[in-house]
Amino acid sequence: MVVPVDARASWRSVQRRAKWWEEWWPANEPSRPTTRNRKLSAWTVHIQPKWGKRKLNSLTYLELQTWVAKELKGYATQTKVLELLKMMLRHAVRDQRIPFNPAADVTKTASPPVRHPDDLTPPTEEQYTEIRKHIPVWWQPVTDFLENTGLRWGETAGTRRIFLDLEADTVKVWSSTTAARCAARASRRRRPASAPSRSR
């Protein structure tokens, strides 16, 4: 006998959220430490205490949306928690544990942080000259390189001698280093290695 998908989902959805996590996490645990720790934090601090004892098929859109609006404080927190919650429930639908994802349309209610325009604008030559006076001398070549090329910190840390073309005065941006790994970037760029018009 062929059992309809909805019937199978209804039967299996008596499983509680915490039990689903135990099955779901080993198959979806990120390899990158920072990502893994972020998801573990979202589960242990926010999702498990609130919903861990609830059955998957008992969750509703309205109570999830209310929870996000009333109990999850801050744009960053709402972002990371909703990302994990929606993924878990989306996979529960695929595995026929529930017939639909009650969190699919849940949205963030907190506003993203607004950065001051000055934070988005690089310093002028005059401003950097003043800043440079307060930088230890052994760091000045690094900050000069950052200022002249406009590279991000991770891109600078990933730079190797073979990426520098001293004759053409350029640097190829081929990799970016983070605390967890060094990964090739999808797009390769060529940037001036120095700014000849500036004198230090």
Side-chain angles (χ1 to χ4, degrees):
M1 180 180 68
V2 178
V3 181
V5 172
D6 287 349
R8 292 200 303 268
S10 177
W11 176 74
R12 301 181 72 186
S13 61
V14 297
Q15 185 177 52
R16 298 185 186 278
R17 169 64 65 79
K19 180 64 176 177
W20 173 237
W21 167 265
E22 293 173 4
E23 294 185 29
W24 179 85
W25 179 248
N28 294 275
E29 182 178 356
S31 58
R32 187 175 182 180
T34 52
T35 305
R36 181 170 62 251
N37 292 338
R38 183 178 71 248
K39 292 184 181 299
L40 282 173
S41 174
W43 167 254
T44 57
V45 176
H46 300 285
I47 301 175
Q48 183 184 31
K50 181 68 176 182
W51 309 109
K53 295 182 179 180
R54 289 281 298 274
K55 297 177 181 179
L56 286 174
N57 67 343
S58 72
L59 303 176
T60 67
Y61 157 78
L62 186 58
E63 63 182 350
L64 292 175
Q65 183 65 72
T66 302
W67 171 62
V68 170
K70 300 297 184 181
E71 299 185 38
L72 296 184
K73 306 300 182 182
Y75 184 84
T77 297
Q78 290 186 1
T79 298
K80 70 176 184 179
V81 172
L82 272 180
E83 177 186 38
L84 179 61
L85 177 67
K86 290 184 177 184
M87 182 183 297
M88 289 180 64
L89 293 176
R90 185 167 61 248
H91 290 182
V93 173
R94 291 177 181 174
D95 204 46
Q96 300 180 358
R97 307 300 177 103
I98 50 177
F100 63 91
N101 182 355
D105 296 324
V106 174
T107 59
K108 291 171 282 191
T109 57
S111 300
V114 179
R115 300 181 65 179
H116 191 279
D118 288 349
D119 295 334
L120 305 175
T121 305
T124 63
E125 291 187 33
E126 292 76 14
Q127 289 172 333
Y128 178 67
T129 299
E130 289 301 313
I131 294 171
R132 193 174 187 272
K133 294 177 182 178
H134 303 279
I135 298 174
V137 64
W138 55 86
W139 275 111
Q140 289 179 3
V142 177
T143 57
D144 288 348
F145 184 79
L146 290 166
E147 168 67 8
N148 290 333
T149 61
L151 264 61
R152 303 177 182 89
W153 177 255
E155 293 171 338
T156 300
T159 299
R160 300 294 180 265
R161 175 62 182 85
I162 59 173
F163 300 159
L164 298 174
D165 187 336
L166 299 181
E167 293 185 1
D169 199 27
T170 59
V171 56
K172 296 177 181 178
V173 183
W174 280 16
S175 64
S176 178
T177 299
T178 66
R181 65 178 181 178
C182 177
R185 299 183 64 83
S187 60
R188 298 178 177 179
R189 300 183 290 142
R190 184 184 295 269
R191 301 296 299 271
S194 63
S197 61
R198 298 187 182 184
S199 59
R200 301 294 186 210

